[in-house]
Amino acid sequence: MLVLSVVLLVVIAWLIGHALRQRYALARLSAAAPGSPADGPRVAIIVPARDESANIGACLAALLAQDYPRLAIVVVDDESADDTAAIVRRLSTQDRRIVLMQSPPLPPGWTGKVNACAAGARAVADAAEWLCFVDADIRAQPALIASAIGAASREAIDLLTLAPRQELQSFAERLVLPCGFYLLSFSQNLARMQAADSDDAAATGQFMLIRRAAYEDVGGHAAVSRSIVEDIDLARLMKRRGHRVLMQDATALMSVRTYTGWATLWPGLARTLVDLLGGLTATLVTTAAGVTLAWAIVLIPAFDLAGCAAGTQNACLAAVPALVGAAAAFGLHLAGAAYFRIPLIYGLLFPLGYTAGAVIALDGLRRRTSGRVRWKGRIYR
């Protein structure tokens, strides 16, 4: 048991060190001073929306409150069955910067969001120097667009994608999502992904500011028409074509609540986890390792302490590194709970979080191997 306990401590120490390096791999987007220049580049914000009546009003209110002066907002209604279009239509009568358009019929082999984004980009093809694709569930501070344009212009970025602050409110979100973010931080190397000589890229479709000329150079969203994770695939394509792609930390200027409970979290993660974790084999290996380690953090110290109580000297020695490693792991997850602004009890439930995430990942594998992925009422092959 001593060897196993020492190995546990070493693995945990390495993972925590790696996670801390990841924490500082993204530069923080600095807030622009009020008063953007009136002659700044024109920006078209494109919001693909399918059944977003719960979000679209607050999203557009935040976008209309932006400090940036040269702004147009195009909402592409993707065959919504709820009041999304009616809400946007009402707001467009109050502010002419909002334009509502209907997404064209879904071409064979395309995914719905890609089709909506491509349609929005075509609608503003000659009207803006920058295209900004945002999801309907974001909440933006007034300085967001001005800050993003400033950073992209100063640093010659062709695609600037921003990581928002995550709002976690339901039990499912608080249990699973922090563990998911930790698993990604353990398994990815953000600094390497961000490097100019890397073919990989980090991206989130919740906010993607793209120079229109670069977007057209790679063929726009049509070039990733079949993608389930179009944000990452488009970022990789742009980077491989020589355009500068960068992700920055915008947690001070933007927040998002992606899921609202098990009913949306489960299918959402099952749709994307396989791609985020690197494919079928990588998903199996990563999730198995995550679950095994999470429960080992609890069980190995427990066995060591039980052996020590029974009078086994070797178990008493083994308990020391095992308890140090377990304390560090629990401390890391408690710090994560504090970071996500959720009750600290969720930092103690991480073995359950990794287990639930693994089950969702396996369901995602099942869907992929069956050749069908379901999302928002559609089935993609």
Side-chain angles (χ1 to χ4, degrees):
M1 290 298 291
L2 178 59
V3 173
L4 190 59
S5 298
V6 170
V7 169
L8 178 68
L9 175 60
V10 171
V11 170
I12 291 172
W14 185 89
L15 289 174
I16 290 176
H18 186 68
L20 291 176
R21 289 191 295 273
Q22 298 282 76
R23 173 72 179 84
Y24 299 104
L26 298 183
R28 186 177 293 273
L29 178 68
S30 56
S36 299
D39 61 348
R42 294 169 297 172
V43 179
I45 299 179
I46 299 166
V47 187
R50 179 174 171 85
D51 296 336
E52 293 286 0
S53 60
N55 290 313
I56 195 66
C59 174
L60 292 179
L63 295 177
L64 291 172
Q66 292 298 300
D67 293 335
Y68 198 80
R70 306 188 71 189
L71 201 64
I73 303 169
V74 178
V75 180
V76 186
D77 178 46
D78 184 18
E79 299 181 354
S80 296
D82 62 6
D83 294 333
T84 297
I87 294 169
V88 177
R89 192 174 294 110
R90 184 175 67 250
L91 291 173
S92 67
T93 63
Q94 301 168 10
D95 196 309
R96 295 179 61 184
R97 288 177 294 173
I98 299 176
V99 174
L100 171 66
M101 64 175 290
Q102 296 296 319
S103 183
L106 189 62
W110 285 57
T111 57
K113 183 179 179 181
V114 171
N115 185 43
C117 287
R122 287 194 300 270
V124 296
D126 299 319
E129 296 145 84
W130 289 88
L131 305 176
C132 185
F133 298 92
V134 304
D135 284 353
D137 49 14
I138 73 156
R139 303 294 180 264
Q141 295 297 312
L144 177 66
I145 298 298
S147 303
I149 286 290
S153 300
R154 282 193 309 273
E155 302 179 42
I157 301 170
D158 296 302
L159 190 167
L160 175 63
T161 180
L162 299 179
R165 184 178 76 254
Q166 300 291 328
E167 299 286 351
L168 311 180
Q169 299 181 25
S170 71
F171 173 77
E173 297 163 77
R174 293 172 171 181
L175 179 70
V176 176
L177 289 181
C179 295
F181 286 118
Y182 270 124
L183 198 63
L184 287 175
S185 73
F186 293 150
S187 60
Q188 293 180 341
N189 186 336
L190 269 179
R192 180 59 192 156
M193 293 170 72
Q194 296 267 75
D197 60 349
S198 169
D199 283 341
D200 208 350
T204 169
Q206 292 160 339
F207 185 102
M208 297 181 73
L209 178 67
I210 309 178
R211 200 181 301 270
R212 180 170 60 86
Y215 179 81
E216 293 176 350
D217 177 61
V218 302
H221 277 87
V224 293
S225 60
R226 302 182 66 89
S227 177
I228 297 295
V229 286
E230 80 295 329
D231 46 3
I232 296 174
D233 286 340
L234 182 58
R236 287 170 176 162
L237 176 61
M238 291 188 66
K239 195 170 183 181
R240 291 165 185 171
R241 289 286 290 269
H243 299 289
R244 189 169 187 220
V245 176
L246 203 65
M247 175 184 276
Q248 292 190 349
D249 177 352
T251 51
L253 294 172
M254 182 174 68
S255 64
V256 65
R257 187 184 181 195
T258 308
Y259 306 114
T260 56
W262 290 114
T264 55
L265 181 144
W266 190 294
L269 291 183
R271 177 178 65 99
T272 59
L273 269 179
V274 175
D275 295 282
L276 291 175
L277 293 176
L280 301 181
T281 302
T283 299
L284 284 172
V285 172
T286 304
T287 54
V291 172
T292 301
L293 182 59
W295 286 105
I297 289 167
V298 177
L299 296 177
I300 291 177
F303 281 124
D304 287 343
L305 290 174
C308 185
T312 305
Q313 184 177 4
N314 187 59
C316 295
L317 290 174
V320 175
L323 287 172
V324 172
F330 275 97
L332 177 68
H333 289 86
L334 287 169
Y339 173 80
F340 287 112
R341 305 177 186 180
I342 62 178
L344 293 180
I345 185 65
Y346 288 96
L348 304 176
L349 298 177
F350 67 85
L352 295 177
Y354 287 108
T355 303
V359 174
I360 295 172
L362 290 175
D363 185 43
L365 287 172
R366 178 190 63 81
R367 298 178 189 216
R368 289 302 177 91
T369 53
S370 71
R372 293 169 177 246
V373 176
R374 179 182 293 273
W375 181 242
K376 287 199 170 185
R378 291 186 174 122
I379 296 177
Y380 301 111
R381 295 183 181 276

